[in-house]
Amino acid sequence: MEGWLGEFRRKLTALVRRKQIEADLEEEMRLHVQFRVDRESETNFPPDEAKYAAQRSFGNTLMIKDACREVWGWPLLEGCWQDLRYGLRILRRSPVFTAAAVITLSLGIGANTAMFSVIEAVLFRPLPYAEPERLVRVWQNEPRMGSGRLGAAPPEFVSYRDGTSAFSSLAGYQLRSYDLTGDQEPEQIRACRATASLFAALRVQPMIGRAFSQGEEPPGAARVVVLSYRFWSDHYAKDPSVLGSNIRLDEQPYQIIGIMPAGFIFPSGEASPGEPPAVWIPLSFTRNQLTEWASSFDTSIVARLRDGVSVSQAKEDLRRVANEFQREHSDTYSGNIMLDPAIEPWEPQVGEDVPLTLWVLSGAVGFVLLIACANVANLLLARAGERQREISIRRALGVTSMRLMSQMLTETAILTVGGGLLGCAVAYGMIQLTQAAWTNEINLTTAKIDIPVLLFVLALCGATALFCGLAPGWTARSTDLNDAIKQSTRQSGPSRSSRRLVRLLVQAEVACSVVLLIGSGLLLRSFIHLIQVPLGFNPEHVLVIRTDFNRQRYTSAEGRHQAEHEIERRLFSLPGVTAVAVTTHVPLADERRIGFVVDGSPPDEFHWADNALVSPDYFRVMGIPLLSGRTFSPEDTPDSPSVAVINEYMAKQYWPQGDAIGKGFRWGGRHITVIGIAADIHIGALDKPVEPSIYNSVYQVESGATSSGVFVVRTSLTDPMRLSKTAQATIWSVDQGLPTLGVTTLHQVVSASLALRRSLLELAVGFTTLALLLSLIGIYGVLSYAVTQRVQEIGLRIALGANPGSITLLIAGEGLRLTAGGIVLGLLGGAIAGRLIATLLFDVRALDLISLVGGATMILMASFLASYLPALRASRIDPTVALRNE
Amino acid sequence: MAVEQPIRDEIPPGTLYMLILKTLARGGEMHGFEIAGSIQQISEDVLRVEEGSLYPALQRMLLKGWVSAEWGVTPGNRRARYYKLTRAGRKQLEAELAQFQRINQAIVRVIRMA
């Protein structure tokens, strides 16, 4: 083979046949000498002298062998291999140092890896659909009413689907729970009702069977269902012959026509909270629903942009359609009800604050890693200082600076890779620990160590190695050979530049720690303020049992009311129960909003209010004081005038002068009179402001939107959960087929609403503690080493009359100087960090003085603590011993 | 009788390969000692190849594929490693000869200029 390829191939072969080549060469040269001997003895010398002469004129065999070896060698690889072995040997000689460095690095790298795997699972996992960047979410908002995101009402959805041209397909979907009955145990499952265009929009097809078609959408058509992979394996053990058989959802048979591939869990993402849908069924609208403009904004929309259409063009298209139907139905769309469609790239929903929370935590672990690296770099610098003689001698023997640096980098790389491997184990452990957290806002069970995470670890190791290793390598360059070799080992200390670098690193560490301290301080104060927010209700000793009165089972309102009355009665008779009520929505867990018009306002001036349908004793169970008026009574029936209890905020807002009692408003096609005013409670999260609330009697007003019924039971027991089995049995005694979902206490509900914040706080504090500890160790190490270096100087001072106290102050002052610069930088950084996390704070200013001062104080205390031992040691130096060891 | 030290010059850098290649081209199969001896002899003792340069050069030529080597027996029944030119070696020889000519002529031209 010709050229460099042949050369490469020959070199490769030579790698294997190295021994053979060297043996050949050896023999060849020996024979050459023999020939020489023969020749020389022929001409000039007697035989043995000839031999000597021949050998001499042949030259140095070893050098020749070396030269030949170089021909066949791979200089770069061999250099690396040499560095590796040398590095391992050196590290093995100082096990304590190696262990300290590897453990420090593993903590830093491990924490970052764990964080990255979470972020990767939540934010970066690509959607499993073709060309996912062309998928968009379409929603609406009502700018005049400030409603936040709304879906589309049925006729609005149809308008968008049929009237726009910007999308190659547009699909609507809703998530609903269904009761699955049949031969197996009844259970409630989550179903995604979707238009057939969903499959076209996502460009997915069932793995087995087919998806439903548009013809199967209308309400009268045959009922079909597509199963999810998980459902299929859980319930049918992946038996493909289930196609064609039926399942019963809400008492209706649905024929199985297809099974989706594994991993298809639309609309959930992997990291979305809550259950992914178990099945998909066609979304159909009744004729009535198709006339409900501007109400029941229940349908979410996902669409695929047509090729070449941009997002802004699509938005214009949507606007056009919206304006058209709003013009056509201007009787409905007037006043406050004006819709504005919006569009954004489709992402599965996670809690609102989740991305920022994750980024904040990554920043925190990033700082921890920086501190860890700084510590390791300092360690390396100290060691490099001690190895000055070795380095100088090597330099004098001709090793180039490049080789020295590459060798030191290799050492660092070994440490870093060790730290990385251990860090993976640390990360794995951390991931397992945090699996259970944050389930309200985010599902962490999908975080795992996969390829992207491993690549991240590799990159991190490389960066860390570079960061830590360049420092000592750099300072190794600038050693004055003569000085270094001349001085004794004790005196050979770090050079000026290396000392400066050490100070810089310590100040950087301190700055990072201060930033973390300030951030944690802010989060802590936010959390404390949050839990001090008055709930408005009393969450103690209340049991919460959810159930569902699905429409197929309870076809009439009377049937439902009867069941609810009976359950209430029976629950009340249980021992330890002091009050029972039923509601459709639980504060801090569910939300429902309705639009109402105040009497005397223009009929299109709608306002939002939270709404719940409750039983008369609700306020008593929840401990919500009734400020005036009355609660519901048995006289409030579906036939009597509709009444409602409103909250104080609503009363003050809409009837600022005088009593709201007796006033009225319109909602849901009926006129409602206010009969009572209750104290404000937080329905949404604790950090959201109070909104108007309307309570209707669950026995009077028909719940059109939800079939859920939540029984709240106030008990005299300290732990209401002790009653849970009995309560469930009681409910079943009235109707065996009622599912009881999630029995919990009200206290737990309140805690769950704070879960994200609490987790953030816990992790932030954990990382800050780690950072503080590492900084403390770092400062201690540097001061301790400095004292060792300056033993003679200190001995001299003591000999000249300095008292131990002043020596202590000297060292402590040194420590203070080290941290002072870092504190200033840290305060600056902390101020910036405060701004960045401002949206996560509650009732705390970003430039909170207490946090800033607290942070600085804590690091000062840590610094004093760290300098205590070295200062003590310094003050106890015996001058005679110190000065003797010259 | 004083042994006359012949005038020995260093082999100009970069020409060693060319010399070895040419020697092999002329001599067919030769072992290391023979190659060195041939160069010394034909150059009338002016050019002497040190073993320290010969063997690394031979190894490099093996690596580049210009020669191939085989163990054989000398006429005197001694074991020796015989080197032979390859086709690539012949091409390389031509190229080096041409280059050498070019440079030489150029140098001569410069020197001739009074």
Side-chain angles (χ1 to χ4, degrees), chain A residues 246-447:
Chain A
N246 285 348
I247 63 173
R248 294 182 79 79
L249 298 172
D250 275 5
E251 315 291 324
Q252 298 289 328
Y254 286 76
Q255 190 187 47
I256 302 175
I257 57 166
I259 295 157
M260 296 309 288
F264 182 75
I265 50 175
F266 184 89
S268 305
E270 284 192 47
S272 302
E275 285 287 303
V279 299
W280 288 265
I281 57 184
L283 175 64
S284 56
F285 299 117
T286 62
R287 192 168 307 154
N288 264 355
Q289 283 175 311
L290 286 171
T291 61
E292 283 171 1
W293 294 91
S295 78
S296 353
F297 298 107
D298 293 337
T299 308
S300 309
I301 300 180
V302 62
R304 181 176 286 277
L305 290 170
R306 214 180 272 279
D307 283 334
V309 176
S310 72
V311 170
S312 51
Q313 286 172 322
K315 182 159 188 191
E316 281 312 305
D317 204 17
L318 290 165
R319 273 237 174 91
R320 179 181 55 78
V321 171
N323 287 340
E324 228 176 86
F325 69 67
Q326 292 190 84
R327 236 195 335 265
E328 257 182 63
H329 299 265
S330 53
D331 46 335
T332 323
Y333 296 97
S334 58
N336 276 5
I337 303 215
M338 292 300 289
L339 293 171
D340 188 27
I343 186 173
E344 66 177 14
W346 199 85
E347 291 287 342
Q349 306 273 42
V350 285
E352 205 184 302
D353 281 334
V354 165
L356 184 59
T357 305
L358 290 178
W359 286 121
V360 166
L361 284 173
S362 320
V365 271
F367 276 146
V368 170
L369 182 61
L370 281 175
I371 297 177
C373 285
N375 270 2
V376 173
N378 273 341
L379 273 173
L380 287 169
L381 277 172
R383 274 188 75 225
E386 276 161 24
R387 291 168 68 185
Q388 284 296 34
R389 286 193 80 209
E390 172 212 334
I391 294 174
S392 312
I393 293 177
R394 289 173 74 195
R395 291 268 303 279
L397 282 177
V399 182
T400 58
S401 294
M402 275 312 283
R403 277 300 254 117
L404 271 177
M405 258 183 68
S406 79
Q407 197 259 307
M408 303 208 107
L409 268 177
T410 313
E411 258 180 64
T412 320
I414 297 175
L415 285 173
T416 320
V417 168
L421 287 173
L422 199 60
C424 281
V426 169
Y428 184 74
M430 286 177 101
I431 294 178
Q432 298 299 98
L433 280 177
T434 60
Q435 289 285 9
W438 311 1
T439 43
N440 256 10
E441 272 92 354
I442 177 181
N443 176 17
L444 280 180
T445 55
T446 54

Side-chain angles (χ1 to χ4, degrees), chain A residues 15 190 268 270 285 305 341 356 391 425 449 474 482 501 521 543 549 575 610 649 671 723 796 800 835 838 854:
Chain A
L15 205 60
R190 211 114 172 88
S268 305
E270 284 192 47
F285 299 117
L305 290 170
L356 184 59
I391 294 174
I449 300 189
W474 189 263
N482 278 330
L501 199 54
L543 188 66
F549 297 93
D610 283 313
Y649 180 84
H671 182 263
L723 213 50
L796 201 59
L800 286 178
R835 276 281 150 70

Side-chain angles (χ1 to χ4, degrees), chain A residues 824-836:
Chain A
V824 172
L825 197 64
L827 285 175
L828 215 71
I832 298 175
R835 276 281 150 70
L836 288 175

Side-chain angles (χ1 to χ4, degrees), chain A residues 44-122:
Chain A
N44 293 328
F45 301 96
D48 10 302
E49 275 200 50
K51 195 149 174 261
Y52 274 135
Q55 193 67 41
R56 226 177 26 239
S57 55
F58 190 89
N60 186 346
T61 21
L62 282 178
M63 273 186 71
I64 299 179
K65 278 205 211 152
D66 241 8
C68 291
R69 204 171 291 144
E70 263 178 43
V71 169
W72 292 102
W74 305 68
L76 211 60
L77 281 180
E78 281 172 12
C80 285
W81 182 243
Q82 243 184 350
D83 287 344
L84 206 66
R85 290 175 55 196
Y86 187 68
L88 279 171
R89 207 165 55 223
I90 292 269
L91 289 174
R92 225 190 321 224
R93 252 194 254 147
S94 37
V96 175
F97 160 79
T98 312
V102 170
I103 290 180
T104 310
L105 285 173
S106 74
L107 286 176
I109 294 181
N112 276 278
T113 307
M115 202 62 233
F116 181 80
S117 74
V118 169
I119 287 197
E120 194 252 339
V122 176

Side-chain angles (χ1 to χ4, degrees), chain A residues 2 7 10-11 21 24-25 27-28 31-32 34-36 38-39 57-58 64 67-68 71-72, chain B residues 31-33 48 50-52 54-56 59-60 62-65 71 74 78-79 81 83 88 91:
Chain A
E2 309 268 322
E7 210 177 305
R10 275 184 286 269
K11 257 201 184 177
I21 292 180
D24 277 346
L25 188 64
E27 206 185 332
E28 210 180 331
L31 290 166
H32 190 124
Q34 277 292 53
F35 283 129
R36 270 281 187 130
D38 293 348
R39 165 85 74 73
S57 55
F58 190 89
I64 299 179
C68 291
V71 169
W72 292 102
Chain B
H31 57 77
F33 188 70
R48 183 136 149 41
E50 300 288 338
E51 284 78 359
L54 175 69
Y55 281 100
Q59 291 289 310
R60 175 136 281 157
L62 275 175
L63 171 65
K64 296 241 183 233
W71 284 100
T74 66
R78 271 245 159 75
R79 225 163 100 82
R81 201 165 181 216
Y83 289 87
K91 290 214 330 236

Side-chain angles (χ1 to χ4, degrees), chain A residues 523-576:
Chain A
L523 289 173
L524 185 63
R525 293 198 68 207
S526 294
F527 193 74
I528 292 178
H529 287 168
L530 200 59
I531 59 179
Q532 285 173 341
V533 167
L535 290 167
F537 58 92
N538 180 3
E540 304 300 329
H541 316 310
V542 173
L543 188 66
V544 175
I545 314 166
R546 282 180 193 276
T547 179
D548 189 81
F549 297 93
N550 82 56
R551 281 186 206 289
Q552 315 309 122
R553 226 181 158 76
Y554 289 87
T555 44
S556 70
E558 282 99 54
R560 179 181 166 150
H561 293 162
Q562 235 176 356
E564 284 172 338
H565 267 305
E566 189 56 27
I567 296 177
E568 274 192 288
R569 199 180 63 78
R570 291 197 193 179
L571 283 174
F572 189 61
S573 66
L574 290 178

Side-chain angles (χ1 to χ4, degrees), chain A residues 438 527 531 750-752 754-763:
Chain A
W438 311 1
F527 193 74
I531 59 179
V750 174
S751 290
L754 292 170
L756 184 67
R757 279 190 186 270
R758 188 184 301 116
S759 301
L760 173 59
L761 184 64
E762 284 170 0
L763 284 171

